[in-house]
Amino acid sequence: MREKVCREFNSIGKDRFRAGAIIASSRKYSNATFEEIVNVVKELVSIAEKCCPEGVDPNCYENESLALSARSCRDPAPFPKHPGLAACCTEEGLEQKLCLAALKHPTKEFPTYVEPSNDEVCEAFTRDPQDFQDRYLYEYSADYSSAPLPVLVASTTSYLSMVATCCASTTRTPCFLKERLSRKSLAVLTHMSNIACARYDLLGKEKTELSFIVKLAQKSPSASLEDVVALATDASEILSRTCNATDNDAIHREFLEHTAKVCSRLSAKDQRFAHCCTEGNTMKTYFCLYSLPWAQPPSLPDFQKPADEVLCTEKEPQEAVRYIFEIARRFSNAPEALFFVIRESTRNILANCCKEADPKACLGRKRPQARQQIFDLLSKGNELCSQYTNLTFLEFKKKLRETYSKALPEATEEVLSGLVEQKANFASTCCLLNAPLEYCRLKVRDEVSHTCSQDVCLLH
């Protein structure tokens, strides 16, 4: 680690090293305060200044970083807080240092950074350029903490260069417009890679693939299982390589190559995909494909459900993928989080039945009821989000009130209003194709737990 840190410090200089430390620390501790990040960065820069010059004791870096770890465990310490801190602080020496290094705050599902107006930017930049840079790097890096580090560094460097150039210009507005247009592809890559990598961090490789299968089946119900699985597998593989990559060009190239594969497989089968694929700029195409709303499901024949005999064999994962694909294209407006709850409940049933002496008999008892409840949930979710998508928000809330009034004729106005607001808030966040998955998964599970049996609800 010393060699890597000192090579970087000596090659790029203190100022750029400090900026990089703010980015890296803000990514790692995305929920920390600005003051806590500044305190960490001061320590990191101080260690580099002390231990990286030629002729310094080779043990300097290790000794100083161990001392910093020990200071992090003092109460109170002026550094970012983390739930795992206490456990790390029971360790000593190198084990403590490695434990602390592994701590990371979760990615924000609801970003908070809002770019100020041009005048506000230039006012803050002119007043104190260093403070503006530090606060911008902190806020932006914390919000985009899952974007690959090279992408984040390139994006923030580009933005700060734009600010320095345009705030010194006599024609600020045209300058900002021109610069923003020139960095648009990089800004899109930062935004999209942050979303994709945050989801990959949350779900892991297998569930990320399932997420892409659901999205593609809902966006293009006419696509084949073969095409959807191939593209979902490719997307998941790309994220496994790029989310922690160090080569910005490689990350950009991977995104472009995947976009080309999507267009190659789906544009001839789906007019909306074909339209996106005519965009001249590949990042525009990627963003267009990402932003496509749910499709209207075509009229599809019934499909063959997985047989009980295969559900306790090695063929189950493939059958599960086919099953999720088939129900996603039929319930194309249902929240994605619902499919993950369904998959969890299915695995729960299998875990119970496959260990019994007669798995087929167990599945024969449990599957029919679970299947009916699953399709009821999908129908309700599909109907709710279809109404939210096709009605204005006021019309949607009016429809909710009518539904609750019929179902609960004796409910008070206060109770009805509360139910309407609760459901409307859920729909406005989760009835979107690229909704925040963890938040919506918890909301769906909470909703499901009041309406279904133990096997489906995961209550045991």
Side-chain angles (χ1 to χ4, degrees):
M1 179 59 76
R2 176 191 177 278
E3 289 73 17
K4 179 178 180 295
V5 170
C6 289
R7 182 170 59 249
E8 183 177 354
F9 181 79
N10 291 328
S11 63
I12 66 176
K14 177 181 175 180
D15 290 343
R16 289 179 60 193
F17 179 86
R18 182 176 177 280
I22 293 175
I23 294 172
S25 299
S26 300
R27 286 177 83 233
K28 180 176 170 64
Y29 300 113
S30 56
N31 294 318
T33 66
F34 176 66
E35 290 72 23
E36 288 170 342
I37 293 298
V38 168
N39 289 333
V40 170
V41 170
K42 282 180 180 177
E43 295 283 355
L44 297 176
V45 173
S46 176
I47 291 173
E49 285 183 308
K50 183 176 181 179
C51 300
C52 290
E54 288 188 24
V56 173
D57 181 358
N59 295 320
C60 174
Y61 183 86
E62 183 66 17
N63 293 336
E64 291 296 324
S65 58
L66 288 174
L68 175 58
S69 297
R71 289 197 295 277
S72 300
C73 289
R74 293 175 187 166
D75 191 20
F79 307 125
K81 310 299 183 290
H82 191 283
L85 186 64
C88 288
C89 292
T90 63
E91 305 286 349
E92 294 183 358
L94 181 59
E95 288 75 16
Q96 183 184 83
K97 173 186 168 183
L98 294 175
C99 183
L100 291 170
L103 297 179
K104 187 180 188 298
H105 287 166
T107 301
K108 295 179 181 179
E109 280 209 284
F110 299 96
T112 56
Y113 175 74
V114 178
E115 185 180 352
S117 68
N118 294 344
D119 288 341
E120 290 171 330
V121 165
C122 289
E123 180 183 349
F125 177 76
T126 304
R127 184 171 60 248
D128 190 334
Q130 187 65 61
D131 183 70
F132 173 84
Q133 173 181 293
D134 292 353
R135 290 183 182 276
Y136 165 74
L137 291 176
Y138 156 72
E139 292 178 12
Y140 192 84
S141 301
D143 260 17
Y144 291 87
S145 61
S146 288
L149 184 58
V151 173
L152 194 55
V153 170
S155 185
T156 53
T157 301
S158 168
Y159 180 84
L160 290 171
S161 174
M162 174 186 73
V163 170
T165 299
C166 294
C167 289
S169 172
T170 55
T171 54
R172 282 182 181 175
T173 300
C175 178
F176 274 112
L177 179 60
K178 177 184 175 184
E179 292 294 326
R180 283 196 171 90
L181 286 173
S182 68
R183 67 182 300 273
K184 189 170 184 179
S185 288
L186 180 56
V188 170
L189 178 62
T190 308
H191 178 70
M192 301 307 301
S193 63
N194 179 67
I195 293 172
C197 290
R199 183 158 292 213
Y200 186 85
D201 289 344
L202 174 67
L203 298 176
K205 192 173 181 181
E206 181 185 347
K207 288 184 179 179
T208 296
E209 187 174 326
L210 183 64
S211 172
F212 279 112
I213 288 171
V214 171
K215 288 179 187 298
L216 288 169
Q218 290 189 316
K219 287 182 179 183
S220 184
S222 59
S224 69
L225 174 63
E226 179 187 2
D227 284 337
V228 167
V229 170
L231 292 171
T233 302
D234 184 63
S236 184
E237 289 284 352
I238 286 173
L239 295 178
S240 72
R241 294 193 298 269
T242 59
C243 288
N244 294 309
T246 58
D247 184 351
N248 189 24
D249 291 337
I251 296 166
H252 191 249
R253 184 174 63 252
E254 293 263 27
F255 270 72
L256 299 188
E257 288 175 357
H258 176 70
T259 302
K261 291 175 185 176
V262 174
C263 289
S264 174
R265 284 184 176 265
L266 299 184
S267 60
K269 303 172 185 177
D270 192 298
Q271 188 174 3
R272 300 190 309 156
F273 278 71
H275 173 73
C276 287
C277 293
T278 59
E279 293 279 0
N281 182 295
T282 313
M283 284 310 298
K284 283 184 179 179
T285 297
Y286 184 90
F287 188 71
C288 178
L289 293 171
Y290 170 84
S291 303
L292 283 176
W294 285 312
Q296 291 301 315
S299 179
L300 295 169
D302 196 13
F303 66 98
Q304 185 177 0
K305 315 301 187 294
D308 291 344
E309 290 81 2
V310 303
L311 292 180
C312 292
T313 71
E314 68 278 0
K315 293 183 180 179
E316 191 277 331
Q318 294 96 318
E319 287 297 311
V321 165
R322 184 179 68 82
Y323 182 70
I324 290 291
F325 166 76
E326 293 291 357
I327 60 175
R329 63 205 290 244
R330 286 165 171 79
F331 296 94
S332 61
N333 283 190
E336 180 187 354
L338 187 52
F339 292 91
F340 280 90
V341 172
I342 290 170
R343 180 58 179 148
E344 288 174 21
S345 68
T346 302
R347 283 183 164 171
N348 184 65
I349 294 173
L350 295 180
N352 288 330
C353 286
C354 292
K355 66 185 179 183
E356 292 203 1
D358 190 349
K360 186 176 179 181
C362 177
L363 290 168
R365 291 193 309 271
K366 294 192 173 188
R367 282 188 75 197
Q369 181 189 12
R371 184 186 297 127
Q372 185 58 52
Q373 290 180 342
I374 284 171
F375 275 82
D376 287 346
L377 290 169
L378 285 167
S379 296
K380 289 176 182 177
N382 198 71
E383 181 182 12
L384 176 74
C385 291
S386 179
Q387 290 175 351
Y388 177 78
T389 302
N390 295 315
L391 299 174
T392 67
F393 193 57
L394 289 177
E395 289 171 340
F396 174 69
K397 292 180 73 172
K398 182 180 178 182
K399 186 80 172 177
L400 287 177
R401 178 173 289 277
E402 291 172 357
T403 301
Y404 281 124
S405 296
K406 289 178 182 178
L408 304 168
E410 297 183 5
T412 65
E413 176 63 26
E414 183 180 0
V415 169
L416 287 175
S417 296
L419 290 170
V420 168
E421 288 302 317
Q422 183 180 11
K423 190 69 75 175
N425 288 338
F426 170 82
S428 64
T429 306
C430 300
C431 284
L432 305 168
L433 193 55
N434 300 300
L437 187 57
E438 181 63 9
Y439 172 85
C440 294
R441 186 179 68 84
L442 294 173
K443 289 292 184 183
V444 166
R445 287 187 66 171
D446 182 59
E447 177 74 17
V448 168
S449 69
H450 294 92
T451 59
C452 57
S453 70
Q454 186 176 27
D455 285 321
V456 177
C457 297
L458 312 174
L459 291 181
H460 55 293

